[in-house]
Amino acid sequence: MQIEEAIIIGAGPCGLAAAIELERIGLHPLVIEKRNIVHSISQYPTYMHFFSTPELLEIGDIPFTTANDKPSRLEALNYYRTAAQRHQIRVQAYEAITSITSENGAFILHGEDRFGQKSLYKSRYVVIATGYFDHPNELGIPGEQLNKVSHFFRESHPYVGMKVAIIGGSNSAIDAALELERVGAEVTVVYRGQDYSASIKPWVKPGFQSKVAKGSIRMLFQSTVIAIANNDITVRGPEGETRLPNDFVLALTGFHPDRNFLTSSGVSMEEEGYPTFQEDTMETNVQGIYLAGVVASRHEANEIFIESGRYHGRKIAEHILSKKDIAAT
């Protein structure tokens, strides 16, 4: 069994930021990541640019420089791996923590690597910074498991000349629709809202609306996809049900935390399905288990992702330090 002072589960930007803050108070945390460093960012659309300016994405007092107004995915990948290296953060990649149990005031973490090799860790403090993005909100409709359906969009090239339905109306859906239209895909956006989402980036919305007005992109409001088949989808809208020819479906319907993992660790859930924690300390109802990053976002996943979540580690470090001070008096 490997004994650690603190373990952080997840090597995203907020997990790395938390590791830096714990280092600053004298702990030497181990970060365990089931894939690669900042895996979620590596899964973003290849040519994506962030909504945020670079200074709002910085961690560990390391400047984030870019030649553009908004940093790209590639720049972010380089920045966060560089930040981890400069702060000498210990990251154990490609190992999943499958469960957490309590034992005599500490936690036992069960791990498993990609080859099935199991391991045990013991730690006084655990920070869960696992994010949402491995757990998409499923539609629960017939045909969702077909290989033509994806909850992620990487790049437009594979969809050249294809009939693509995008489910959702958020920024990710709008960005994907525009990229797909540029390469000649026949795009239909199916959105349950009555009008365009207020969250759409203001510099993107006019161009998208223009494409819709010209008929380059088909926009279906107050509509939902109720079934997916090999060659078509069934859409229910204000005028009833319609079958549309279709080659691919991008279900960009958002994500949720791994509730089973959290509850099995003892973390309770609020009525709406979000984990319980204290805003000022990030500690859950289980003493010694903390949340960091988007897993603590509740309804505000987009706003809290990096810009606010990067400060969660500071709250955690201050709380742990206060516990130590109390114990010393």
Side-chain angles (χ1 to χ4, degrees), residues 16-305:
L16 295 176
I20 292 169
E21 295 296 336
L22 293 186
E23 286 278 358
R24 286 173 171 169
I25 66 167
L27 299 181
H28 191 41
L30 174 66
V31 181
I32 302 178
E33 165 58 53
K34 68 178 177 180
R35 292 189 177 88
N36 52 275
I37 288 180
V38 293
H39 175 259
S40 292
I41 294 177
S42 70
Q43 297 302 299
Y44 285 177
T46 305
Y47 305 108
M48 189 207 81
H49 281 74
F50 280 80
F51 181 89
S52 303
T53 52
E55 65 272 12
L56 296 177
L57 303 176
E58 293 175 352
I59 63 172
D61 299 322
I62 296 176
F64 190 161
T65 58
T66 174
N68 306 300
D69 292 336
K70 306 292 175 64
S72 68
R73 164 188 169 274
L74 184 61
E75 289 173 322
L77 292 176
N78 178 66
Y79 172 79
Y80 288 115
R81 67 172 174 259
T82 300
Q85 290 164 354
R86 286 189 183 178
H87 282 278
Q88 299 182 328
I89 300 302
R90 294 188 299 148
V91 178
Q92 188 153 307
Y94 299 103
E95 180 169 5
I97 296 300
T98 57
S99 65
I100 303 173
T101 56
S102 299
E103 183 181 283
N104 299 325
F107 298 101
I108 305 300
L109 290 78
H110 299 253
E112 183 174 342
D113 68 16
R114 55 185 170 150
F115 305 114
Q117 183 70 37
K118 298 184 185 302
S119 53
L120 284 177
Y121 302 89
K122 185 175 183 179
S123 178
R124 174 65 185 87
Y125 305 105
V126 174
V127 178
I128 299 175
T130 49
Y132 277 15
F133 301 104
D134 284 336
H135 303 279
N137 294 327
E138 296 188 351
L139 303 170
I141 61 174
E144 185 173 7
Q145 304 308 318
L146 292 173
N147 62 13
K148 65 183 278 187
V149 180
S150 175
H151 289 276
F152 302 89
F153 172 70
R154 294 298 306 279
E155 59 178 329
S156 56
H157 180 75
Y159 304 102
V160 172
M162 298 289 101
K163 295 178 176 64
V164 183
I166 298 175
I167 303 174
S170 65
N171 277 311
S172 58
I174 301 306
D175 288 344
L178 289 169
E179 281 200 40
L180 290 167
E181 189 273 338
R182 290 189 196 104
V183 302
E186 185 178 319
V187 183
T188 299
V189 179
V190 183
Y191 181 45
R192 62 185 178 183
Q194 297 184 7
D195 201 351
Y196 294 103
S197 170
S199 69
I200 298 175
K201 291 173 282 194
W203 60 89
V204 170
K205 187 175 179 180
F208 181 79
Q209 289 177 308
S210 176
K211 296 283 187 183
V212 172
K214 293 176 182 177
S216 301
I217 295 174
R218 186 179 185 183
M219 186 76 191
L220 302 179
F221 290 108
Q222 295 179 270
S223 300
T224 55
V225 175
I226 61 172
I228 301 170
N230 288 334
N231 299 306
D232 59 55
I233 59 173
T234 303
V235 178
R236 179 180 293 149
E239 298 179 359
E241 295 182 6
T242 307
R243 292 177 66 182
L244 302 176
N246 173 264
D247 298 306
F248 291 97
V249 174
L250 295 175
L252 306 183
T253 50
F255 304 86
H256 62 268
D258 187 349
R259 298 185 182 98
N260 290 334
F261 175 74
L262 290 164
T263 54
S264 69
S265 303
V267 178
S268 61
M269 290 288 160
E270 298 172 358
E271 288 185 5
E272 295 179 317
Y274 301 108
T276 302
F277 68 97
Q278 297 296 319
E279 295 278 358
D280 56 340
T281 66
M282 306 308 298
E283 190 174 36
T284 68
N285 60 289
V286 181
Q287 291 187 10
I289 295 183
Y290 298 84
L291 304 181
V294 72
V295 71
S297 66
R298 295 192 173 101
H299 300 285
E300 298 80 27
N302 292 332
E303 291 80 1
I304 205 168
F305 171 45

